[in-house]
Every structure is written in C-alpha cells, then in structure tokens.
C-alpha cells in the first residue's frame, strides 16, 4: 500500500514499525460546539483508512483525542455561566453521537487533554532540562532555533517566517526569544481551569497535548499521524519539534493530511460562519449520504459542498442500495438453489472489481476510484442478476457489493442493521458489567453500541435506547 507522506511530499510504500500492526494518531476536534461537516471530513477519511488497513490484516491501534481545554471552550463556558468541563463533556457526547450516525467507529482510545496533564508537565520539564524550552515568568516557550529540523513538515522557509512573525507578535508574547517560539505552558487568567506546575498554576499549550497523548497511548515513535491540512503548520510542525527533542526519536513516519471541505469555493469554518453542522445535514439526509459524498473525492483534493452535490450523492448511493435490494428480491423468490456452471464462470469475472477496488485503495486511499469499482460491480449485478439466476449467484453478487461497501464504512444492506434483540442483549451485558463494577467493559459496550448507531440513555426507569 502506498501513502502520500506530507513530510517527503511523495507517495511511499507503507511499511509499519511492527509487522502487521499500525499505530495511528488523528488530531480530534476542540469540543465547544456541535461539529461541522468540515470536521467530519478527517473523521470519515481516516476511519475509512483504518477500515481498509484492518481489511488488509493489520491490527490498527487508532487514537484520536478530544481537545477539552481551550480558549474557545472557556469563552463558551463563561457565556453560559457553567464550568468549562460541562461544555466540553456535552460536546464530546454530541460528537460521539454524530460519529456513530456517520458510521465512524470509536477510536481504540479517545484521550482527553485534561486527563493527561501530568504527562504533559513531565514532557515540558524534560524539554527545559535538555535546553529546548525556557520559562519566562510562568510561561514556558519552546526554543525553535534549537531544533535544526524545524520546518521539515511544512517545508517552510523559516527566515521568512521569522521576519514576518515579528510584527505578528501578540501582546504579552514579546518576552519570547524568537517569534517562532511557541507556548508549552501558560499561567492561568482569572476564572480559567488550571493545574499546578513547577512554572505557574496554568494550563498546557495546544501542541503539547497531542505530543503527550500520542506518546502515552502509542509510544514514542508511531506509524501515522493525521489531520486536516490546516494542522500542518504550526500544530504538527510543533508536535514534531516537541516530541523529537524530548524523546530523541522520529515522532511519526507518515504524515497524512486531508484537504478542506469548501462551501461556495471558500473553506468551511466556524470563524467564517459558513458552515453546516453534521446535525443539520442529518435532519435532511441519511448521514450515509454525507459519508458517500466525502469518499467520492480523493482525500487530498479540495471538496466543494452544495445542495446539488448532496442530491447526486444521494441518488448514487441509492443505486448501490437498489442493486443490493434487487439481489435480495431474487434470493427470496427464485427456485434454483445451486450455482450453474455458467454462473460459476461469471463469478470469476467479479474478482476483477475487487482487484480494481484494492488497487485504488492501495494507491494512497483513492476512495473515488474504489467507489467506481463498486459501481462497475453494481452494473454487473443489474445486468446479470435476474429472476433466471440461482439463489447462490444472487447471494454471491450481493455479498460482494456489501463487503466492498463495508470496507468504506458504507452500509448498503439496509436490513442487515443491528437487530433489536442484539441491542437488548448488549445492554443486558453492560448492566451486568456495571453491577460487577467493571466500568471499563461497560463503557466499551456503550461505545460498541454507539458504533452501531445506538445511543443509550440512563433514565430512572432503566436504560433506554434509540437509533442515532
Ligand atoms: P478543529 O476542531 O478546528 O481543531 O478541527 C478538527 C479537525 O477538523 C482538524 O483535523 C481540522 O483540520 C479539520 N477541519 C476543520 N475544518 C475543516 C474543513 N472545512 N475541511 C476539512 N477538514 C477540516
Ligand atoms: Zn493534534
């Protein structure tokens, strides 16, 4: 499998550090609002990458954080007159519902920045001890000049940045030795959440959060680090500087970045106010349509959102669902059970579509071409599966369409959705785990249900559930 590596600007063969295993870290959202469909792009893209790598037999350790301490969260909490934690917890829960509704599987671990402060303090201390960081009146800065490779990911000319940066200094930042030095720790302002540290009572900078969470859950050197392309500079550049200077190892081997989701050919963002939340789109469309739309373009190509494109995505996805339904109708109604010799030969033909699918995905996750391969298969199904077919033939074709779609997380066999009885069973298991005070298992089951699009609600009358 080849992946485009932002670090080398080349497509490279993917060779994991440990054979058969992949460690992958995806920068998650800052939780102060419902996520918008721009935020959904990395979620859908990298969930599909994970699914494909699992399909290829890798064991994927997939970590994605929630940034739950940040200026925007604090501002929102002040506005509402509630603790910051209440805001972040609320939007983490909402984000998980949106993920489930888009069939984005929960990560192996979803660490929270606020739960990992001691590890961050330790990393900052190591950086100070090694001379890569300095404390000015309680604010700790990273000394970018000391890291020779600073700029290697974003391929930026640092001297230009430095001269440009002088005039960009924000007030209070003039104590820095260099405009490119960035904050590792900052003292608290009145009313802000804060933790005790050797330099001041305060909170970590954004970049150090990911360096620490990646190290804790995946190790000092990982296979893939990913996120939206806006994170290349400064966020990922700074993560590399911190981690490599602290640990003395390559931080991540492959850097993957998705291009932006635009609207009217402008980047969709909260600050520009030109966004739709996943929730809003979910009111109009099955979110499978959104998933299909996101995967219909290569993840490194900009994607423009419009009502028209959602409508055409809806009908395209429907064509796959209808082909599956037709196969099911044939399975239920035809008399011939066994595959005929002619059908056996025909089935050899469909292997070609799977090869095309794999070839596309192996080429830097070209989901657009992978979807084209599914459509070729749909066309085959529409011409070859009929009331003259055997059950076995219709079944085999149906299975092929469903399984290729499934690798992309697209649910096209509508009746294969989780049965109510399975859900009840999992809920009973969760109750038993809770009773046994095995809360980790209970949470695991809740996440498993969430991944199936089932949201649990603990009420006084017991646990209730609904489809997200
Ligand atoms: P944020 O909450 O802004 O930190 O964003 C969370 C993730 O969503 C990051 O990986 C961003 O790069 C990504 N992201 C934000 N806006 C967009 C967009 N319009 N298109 C694609 N990715 C985006
Ligand atoms: Zn990050």
């Amino acid at each position: 499998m080849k992946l485009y590596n932002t670090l080398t600007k080349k497509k490279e063969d993917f060779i994991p550090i440990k054979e058969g295993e992949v460690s992958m870290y995806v920068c998650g959202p800052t939780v102060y609002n419902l996520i918008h469909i721009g935020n959904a792009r990395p979620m859908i893209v990298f969930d599909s990458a994970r699914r494909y790598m699992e399909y290829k037999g890798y064991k994927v350790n997939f970590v994605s954080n929630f940034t739950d301490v940040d200026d925007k969260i604090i501002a929102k909490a002040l506005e509402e007159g509630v603790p910051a934690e209440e805001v972040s917890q609320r939007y983490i829960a909402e984000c998980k519902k949106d993920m489930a509704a888009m069939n984005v599987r929960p990560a192996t671990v979803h660490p929270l920045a606020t739960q990992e402060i001691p590890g961050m303090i330790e990393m900052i201390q190591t950086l100070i001890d090694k001379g890569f960081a300095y404390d000015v009146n309680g604010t700790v800065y990273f000394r970018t000049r000391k890291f020779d490779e600073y700029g290697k990911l974003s391929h930026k000319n640092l001297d230009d940045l430095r001269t440009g940066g002088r005039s960009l200094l924000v007030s209070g930042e003039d104590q820095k030795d260099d405009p490119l030095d960035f904050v590792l720790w900052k003292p608290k302002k009145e009313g802000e959440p804060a933790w005790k540290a050797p330099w001041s009572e305060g909170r970590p900078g954004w970049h150090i959060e990911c360096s620490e969470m990646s190290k804790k859950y995946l190790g000092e050197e990982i296979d893939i680090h990913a996120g939206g392309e806006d994170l290349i500079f400064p966020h990922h550049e700074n993560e590399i500087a911190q981690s490599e200077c602290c640990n003395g190892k390559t931080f991540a081997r492959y850097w993957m970045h998705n291009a932006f989701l635009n609207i009217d050919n402008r980047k969709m963002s909260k600050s520009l106010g030109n966004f739709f939340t996943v929730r809003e789109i979910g009111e109009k469309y099955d979110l499978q349509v959104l998933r299909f739309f996101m995967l219909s373009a290569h993840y490194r190509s900009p994607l423009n959102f419009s009502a028209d494109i959602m409508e055409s995505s809806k009908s395209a996805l429907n064509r796959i669902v209808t082909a599956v339904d037709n196969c099911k109708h044939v399975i239920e109604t035809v008399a011939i059970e066994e595959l005929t010799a002619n059908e056996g030969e025909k089935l050899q033909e469909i292997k070609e579509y799977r090869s095309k699918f794999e070839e596309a995905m192996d080429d830097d996750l070209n989901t657009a071409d992978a979807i084209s391969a599914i459509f070729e298969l749909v066309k085959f199904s529409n011409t070859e599966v009929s009331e003259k077919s055997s059950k076995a033939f219709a079944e085999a074709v149906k299975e092929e369409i469903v399984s290729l779609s499934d690798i992309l997380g697209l649910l096209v066999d509508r009746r294969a959705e989780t049965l109510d009885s399975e859900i009840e069973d999992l809920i009973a298991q969760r109750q038993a785990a809770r009773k046994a005070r095995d809360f980790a298992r209970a949470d695991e089951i809740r996440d498993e249900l969430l991944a199936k699009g089932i949201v649990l609600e603990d009420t006084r009358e017991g646990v209730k559930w609904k489809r997200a």
Side-chain angles (χ1 to χ4, degrees):
M1 177 167 58
K2 281 195 189 307
L3 295 177
Y4 180 87
N5 191 351
T6 308
L7 196 61
T8 56
K9 289 180 148 180
K10 280 194 197 104
K11 278 189 203 169
E12 294 175 18
D13 278 322
F14 176 67
I15 305 163
I17 299 166
K18 262 199 206 157
E19 206 187 323
E21 289 186 24
V22 179
S23 47
M24 181 162 181
Y25 186 97
V26 182
C27 292
T30 306
V31 277
Y32 65 101
N33 222 326
L34 290 174
I35 57 163
H36 63 69
I37 56 176
N39 303 132
R41 188 168 190 195
M43 289 178 180
I44 292 173
V45 159
F46 298 118
D47 176 64
S48 304
R50 173 194 194 181
R51 287 170 186 268
Y52 185 63
M53 289 188 284
E54 287 182 348
Y55 164 75
K56 295 200 54 112
Y58 292 111
K59 181 173 174 286
V60 185
N61 197 353
F62 189 96
V63 175
S64 189
N65 68 295
F66 286 113
T67 296
D68 63 342
V69 55
D70 175 87
D71 289 343
K72 296 184 205 100
I73 301 173
I74 295 167
K76 178 100 171 180
L78 286 175
E79 195 185 299
E80 290 188 15
V82 298
E85 199 188 344
E86 191 176 318
V87 171
S88 57
Q89 287 296 331
R90 183 194 317 147
Y91 290 112
I92 288 170
E94 297 300 340
C95 178
K96 285 186 174 174
K97 282 186 209 163
D98 286 336
M99 286 168 66
M102 297 185 293
N103 201 26
V104 169
R105 283 167 50 203
T108 320
V109 191
H110 279 291
L112 304 184
T114 54
Q115 304 303 308
E116 312 291 348
I117 309 281
M120 295 175 204
I121 293 178
E122 217 172 282
M123 276 188 93
I124 297 170
Q125 189 60 55
T126 307
L127 288 169
I128 294 177
D129 294 346
K130 289 188 168 181
F132 288 109
Y134 57 97
D135 167 13
V136 189
N137 303 327
T139 303
V140 183
Y141 294 100
F142 184 89
R143 200 185 296 282
T144 47
R145 245 181 234 290
K146 267 221 77 175
F147 181 49
D148 291 342
E149 294 173 75
Y150 192 79
K152 67 177 170 181
L153 180 72
S154 49
H155 309 280
K156 284 193 186 288
N157 180 328
L158 296 190
D159 290 331
D160 287 354
L161 277 174
R162 284 208 167 91
T163 32
R166 285 263 170 237
S167 53
L168 294 174
L169 285 182
V170 193
S171 68
E173 285 206 328
D174 43 0
Q175 309 152 312
K176 296 200 288 189
D177 288 357
D178 184 308
L180 285 184
D181 289 356
F182 56 89
V183 171
L184 299 172
W185 187 266
K186 56 183 156 194
K188 75 163 184 180
K189 291 196 196 110
E190 201 41 49
E192 289 184 353
W195 289 264
K196 282 207 167 62
W199 321 287
S200 60
E201 197 171 326
R203 60 188 163 103
W206 171 37
H207 318 300
I208 195 76
E209 297 177 6
C210 288
S211 279
E212 158 57 16
M213 293 185 272
S214 177
K215 174 177 173 164
K216 176 163 172 188
Y217 294 98
L218 296 168
E220 291 181 346
E221 186 170 5
I222 72 167
D223 292 309
I224 302 172
H225 195 112
E229 67 183 6
D230 58 323
L231 300 186
I232 299 173
F233 188 86
H235 185 52
H236 287 163
E237 195 71 73
N238 291 353
E239 282 186 41
I240 292 178
Q242 298 162 153
S243 295
E244 301 199 347
C245 293
C246 176
N247 307 327
K249 286 198 181 132
T250 301
F251 178 39
R253 292 192 173 186
Y254 303 86
W255 286 86
M256 296 177 71
H257 294 98
N258 63 273
F260 259 63
L261 177 71
N262 298 326
I263 184 158
D264 303 324
N265 294 309
R266 286 180 78 198
K267 134 183 179 181
M268 181 178 291
S269 79
K270 282 190 187 142
S271 50
L272 291 173
N274 59 351
F275 63 88
F276 288 108
T277 61
V278 169
R279 213 48 72 80
E280 281 166 331
I281 298 302
E283 281 164 14
K284 265 192 100 175
Y285 295 95
D286 178 342
L287 288 173
Q288 282 286 306
V289 176
L290 184 69
R291 185 167 184 121
F292 180 92
F293 156 68
M294 296 279 187
L295 297 175
S296 61
H298 190 272
Y299 74 93
R300 286 190 292 112
S301 307
L303 187 55
N304 203 43
F305 179 83
S306 69
D308 283 354
I309 212 159
M310 281 301 279
E311 283 303 319
S312 56
S313 300
K314 183 178 169 181
S315 49
L317 179 63
N318 249 334
R319 271 169 54 211
I320 311 180
V321 174
T322 308
V324 170
D325 281 346
N326 288 344
C327 289
K328 287 200 290 200
H329 178 72
V330 169
I331 297 165
E332 280 160 19
T333 51
V334 295
I336 315 164
E337 294 281 340
E338 303 286 322
L339 212 60
T340 65
N342 184 29
E343 286 178 340
E345 257 168 53
K346 283 264 167 214
L347 278 187
Q348 289 302 314
E349 248 177 67
I350 72 173
K351 286 193 180 148
E352 185 196 324
Y353 307 120
R354 184 173 288 261
S355 307
K356 278 193 184 168
F357 179 97
E358 288 176 0
E359 215 174 282
M361 292 297 281
D362 281 342
D363 181 16
D364 190 30
L365 304 170
N366 192 335
T367 52
D369 285 0
I371 288 178
S372 300
I374 298 180
F375 277 112
E376 286 185 45
L377 180 59
V378 163
K379 198 168 156 209
F380 171 92
S381 176
N382 291 345
T383 41
E384 301 295 341
V385 180
S386 70
E387 57 278 17
K388 293 186 199 113
S389 306
S390 69
K391 276 193 203 316
F393 183 67
E395 185 70 49
V397 176
K398 180 197 121 199
E399 274 311 301
E400 194 66 6
I401 303 175
V402 171
S403 109
L404 290 186
S405 305
D406 201 44
I407 299 170
L408 298 177
L410 293 170
L411 301 167
V412 294
D413 187 357
R414 292 299 153 95
R415 263 178 290 167
E417 279 178 3
T418 322
L419 297 171
D420 290 5
S421 58
E422 275 177 58
I423 297 165
E424 307 285 357
D425 190 43
L426 278 168
I427 292 175
Q429 284 181 37
R430 176 169 172 265
Q431 292 301 87
R434 278 175 136 195
K435 225 172 155 185
R437 307 194 67 76
D438 183 356
F439 297 113
R441 175 66 191 142
D443 283 352
E444 207 175 275
I445 297 175
R446 189 199 51 213
D447 289 346
E448 210 175 296
L449 282 162
L450 209 50
K452 294 178 194 290
I454 308 300
V455 182
L456 298 185
E457 228 178 295
D458 292 307
T459 70
R460 252 188 293 171
E461 295 84 53
V463 181
K464 296 223 168 99
W465 64 268
K466 59 174 194 248
R467 290 186 199 276

